[in-house]
């Protein structure tokens, strides 16, 4: 079986070396994908000087083109985002806005540039809203050409108005952990299937 590539975009508001719960969940997803012949890396978006916009390159040192090249080289994209005010983080929304440019981009066969790529979502937060965040991100990713697998999300939310972060909550093997394993299995299966049998050109 061919080894595939995954890219996790960690959409924490934190930059630098600060610990991030969404990064932690993203790395757990990468670890689970490794059991299915998928290797990959995590990029913390806040560290990449990505400019606001809806083009593939906003110029003047924009960090998005380098990230976009990694997306193009991967078969699985993971968006890992915290919840803020019941919404995906502003960093996650910026990523989706930059991916809007792919509506006008095609591959060598004339197909939308993100065809044959699988997208999954990981969400963490201390408030309700995980399903809303997942739905919002999935719809945007599907609009630009990504394929969504069955059970393609994993999340953890703490008690309402709570102060405990996912990174501090301890292992969750029977809940979030189980979802991560299922997500990895279905995403890898679909990505391998699309690698073997790509979507036809329109």
């Amino acid at each position: 079986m061919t080894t595939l590539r995954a890219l996790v975009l960690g959409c924490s508001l934190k930059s630098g070396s600060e610990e991030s719960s969404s990064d932690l969940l993203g790395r757990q997803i990468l670890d689970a994908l490794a059991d299915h012949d998928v290797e990959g890396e995590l990029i913390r978006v806040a560290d990449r000087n990505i400019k606001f916009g809806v083009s593939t390159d906003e110029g003047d040192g924009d960090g998005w083109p380098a990230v976009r090249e990694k997306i193009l080289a991967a078969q699985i994209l993971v968006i890992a985002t915290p919840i803020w005010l019941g919404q995906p983080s502003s960093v996650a929304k910026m990523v989706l806005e930059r991916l809007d440019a792919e509506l006008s981009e095609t591959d060598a066969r004339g197909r939308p540039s993100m065809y044959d790529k699988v997208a999954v979502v990981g969400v963490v937060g201390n408030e309700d809203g995980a399903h809303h965040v997942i739905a919002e991100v999935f719809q945007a990713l599907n609009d630009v050409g990504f394929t969504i697998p069955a059970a393609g999300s994993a999340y953890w939310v703490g008690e309402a108005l709570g102060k405990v972060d996912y990174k501090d909550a301890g292992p969750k093997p029977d809940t979030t952990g189980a979802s991560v394993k299922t997500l990895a299995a279905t995403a890898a299966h679909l990505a391998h299937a699309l690698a073997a049998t790509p979507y036809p050109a329109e």
Side-chain angles (χ1 to χ4, degrees):
M1 185 177 288
T2 303
T3 299
L4 301 182
R5 290 283 303 169
L7 177 67
V8 179
L9 296 183
C11 297
S12 172
L13 302 183
K14 299 173 183 175
S15 59
S17 60
E18 289 184 88
E19 289 187 344
S20 160
S21 288
S22 48
D23 275 17
L24 173 59
L25 181 55
R27 293 190 190 284
Q28 291 171 341
I29 291 171
L30 275 183
D31 289 344
L33 285 168
D35 293 334
H36 301 278
D37 296 302
V38 181
E39 61 184 20
E41 65 178 309
L42 183 145
I43 291 174
R44 191 178 292 195
V45 177
D47 290 338
R48 293 303 179 111
N49 191 38
I50 294 172
K51 296 183 178 297
F52 292 102
V54 290
S55 73
T56 59
D57 189 346
E58 291 292 318
D60 193 28
D62 182 19
W64 181 253
V67 174
R68 180 176 182 265
E69 285 302 312
K70 290 181 178 290
I71 296 172
L72 290 171
Q75 290 76 42
I76 300 174
L77 176 67
V78 182
I79 300 292
T81 180
I83 299 170
W84 289 110
L85 297 174
Q87 303 287 320
S89 74
S90 57
V91 176
K93 290 190 174 186
M94 180 176 62
V95 166
L96 297 177
E97 288 166 353
R98 295 307 300 268
L99 284 169
D100 181 82
E102 304 306 324
L103 292 170
S104 303
E105 299 294 322
T106 55
D107 65 12
R109 297 173 58 193
R111 305 174 312 153
S113 57
M114 297 298 146
Y115 267 32
D116 302 336
K117 297 184 185 300
V118 172
V120 295
V121 177
V123 176
V124 294
N126 280 324
E127 56 190 276
D128 198 8
H131 282 181
H132 170 78
V133 169
I134 291 163
E136 192 170 319
V137 175
F138 270 162
Q139 183 61 59
L141 293 171
N142 188 249
D143 281 349
V144 298
F146 288 92
T147 300
I148 310 303
S153 64
Y155 67 88
W156 178 87
V157 288
E159 185 177 358
L161 304 178
K163 301 294 185 182
V164 178
D165 288 336
Y166 180 60
K167 61 183 174 58
D168 302 317
K172 299 284 184 273
D174 298 327
T175 53
T176 304
S179 296
V180 165
K181 288 183 178 181
T182 300
L183 174 158
T186 60
H189 175 84
L190 181 56
H192 282 293
L194 287 171
T197 310
Y199 289 120
E202 294 181 2

